[in-house]
Amino acid sequence: MSSTDNSSDSPPSGPGRGWPAPAKINRFLHITGRRADGYHQLQTVFQFLDYGDTLDFVLRDDGVVHRSTRLPGIDPETDLTVRAARLLQRHAGEIRGVEIEIDKRIPSGGGLGGGSSDAATALWALNCLWELGLSADDLAALGLGLGADVPVFVRGQAAWAEGVGEILTPLTLDEPWYLVLIPDDQVSTAEIFAAPELTRDCDALTIGGFLSGDHGVNVCEPVVRARHPRVAEALDWLSRYAPARMSGTGACVFASFPAREAAEETRRLLPEGWRAFVARGCNRSPLLARVELHCAQRAR
């Protein structure tokens, strides 16, 4: 793993350019039960990071939706971004298509929500560029059909989440700096959620309890530790410097620091070859600012 800089932010140069898709972390993750349809009932807190992917959109007149960026391991036909664009196109009866480019920085299989965030950004960007006028509620409902994490990225507010992750209560959290380690591994969410040893009967937390200091645990951590030694190694190393936790079902792990300098200082201690980045926690997604910028430019 080698250190990764967080410095590629660039201003948009056109209406389809520079749409941000931030990463997220799960500040805890509990499973409190399982529904009759097999989906797990979760409790978690989502917070965004000022680090993520950037998407560009070029409209086409032929109705074709195409991802022009080659992303190893992500088939364009199953990519959530492409599926989101096609879903919105069908829903709205839009005849135009789009060419999508993705500057991919969020690691796949890292538990940082990269695919879901890209999908949410595609929904918002194309809602603007195709001038569809759908609301956040409309887009979140469409996004839920793509994945349980998509609605929180659509709404763009740090949130307490329950249900399968779609019942959201906005939260105002502290916004510390995070050091995020990217182990040289990918963890399949399906694998972890199917694990027989996974704890599925956590006591339910309350929002008041969380905000008062009961920060819960990530119940997926023991399962991932046992199956993915590189994740366990990253957790053990980071725990020497600050309480470390895994995001989602991994593989990425993080720890919070009160100041950027402290996080950067710890990053400089990383073993040679390890990858990591420093980012600030954000209660409001940068995607919402991009939507507002687009609307303001259209109103001039």
Side-chain angles (χ1 to χ4, degrees):
M1 299 193 277
S2 64
S3 297
T4 301
D5 288 334
N6 180 21
S7 58
S8 71
D9 294 337
S10 57
S13 56
R17 302 291 182 187
W19 287 82
K24 60 81 179 167
I25 56 168
N26 298 85
R27 298 213 0 188
F28 81 98
L29 178 58
H30 282 189
I31 300 174
T32 57
R34 203 168 192 173
R35 304 192 319 194
D37 60 7
Y39 283 95
H40 291 90
Q41 294 177 308
L42 309 176
Q43 284 189 314
T44 190
V45 165
F46 291 109
Q47 188 172 37
F48 306 106
L49 302 179
D50 67 348
Y51 178 96
D53 300 340
T54 303
L55 280 68
D56 293 333
F57 302 87
V58 178
L59 301 189
R60 317 173 40 137
D61 294 328
D62 58 4
V64 172
V65 173
H66 178 253
R67 191 194 75 197
S68 54
T69 307
R70 185 174 179 276
L71 299 174
I74 306 176
D75 185 335
E77 294 306 304
T78 58
D79 186 343
L80 275 181
T81 312
V82 173
R83 290 172 56 200
R86 290 174 178 166
L87 177 63
L88 182 64
Q89 186 186 44
R90 287 195 303 272
H91 177 81
E94 174 60 48
I95 62 172
R96 286 172 290 180
V98 67
E99 196 79 19
I100 304 172
E101 297 179 9
I102 304 177
D103 178 9
K104 192 72 180 165
R105 302 172 74 204
I106 304 173
S108 299
L112 301 181
S116 296
S117 187
D118 291 349
T121 295
L123 290 173
W124 263 124
L126 293 174
N127 183 50
C128 293
L129 297 170
W130 284 337
E131 299 178 294
L132 302 178
L134 298 180
S135 68
D137 287 346
D138 297 330
L139 298 176
L142 284 173
L144 183 59
L146 298 166
D149 286 355
V150 178
V152 73
F153 286 107
V154 168
R155 297 193 180 281
Q157 299 286 340
W160 175 275
E162 296 183 285
V164 297
E166 86 288 11
I167 303 172
L168 301 171
T169 303
L171 290 182
T172 300
L173 304 168
D174 59 321
E175 295 181 324
W177 289 89
Y178 293 104
L179 174 58
V180 181
L181 271 56
I182 311 170
D184 189 15
D185 199 351
Q186 293 188 7
V187 177
S188 163
T189 297
E191 172 204 346
I192 302 306
F193 278 172
E197 68 270 31
L198 179 65
T199 298
R200 297 180 171 86
D201 59 352
C202 289
D203 291 335
L205 282 181
T206 64
I207 294 176
F210 174 80
L211 295 177
S212 297
D214 183 357
H215 294 159
V217 299
N218 183 332
V219 295
C220 298
E221 257 186 42
V223 179
V224 177
R225 269 185 173 276
R227 296 174 178 226
H228 296 268
R230 288 174 175 167
V231 177
E233 185 180 18
L235 280 164
D236 291 341
W237 184 88
L238 189 54
S239 294
R240 298 179 198 168
Y241 304 96
R245 182 161 286 185
M246 194 176 71
S247 182
T249 56
C252 290
V253 305
F254 65 90
S256 67
F257 296 83
R260 180 173 191 164
E261 292 73 18
E264 292 285 6
E265 183 177 342
T266 304
R267 182 171 74 160
R268 286 193 285 272
L269 300 174
L270 280 172
E272 185 176 355
W274 285 33
R275 289 189 297 152
F277 63 87
V278 170
R280 184 157 200 175
C282 301
N283 291 330
R284 192 170 193 267
S285 168
L287 174 60
L288 297 188
R290 185 65 182 86
V291 172
E292 291 166 357
L293 174 64
H294 179 87
C295 293
Q297 290 173 334
R298 290 285 300 171
R300 289 174 187 164

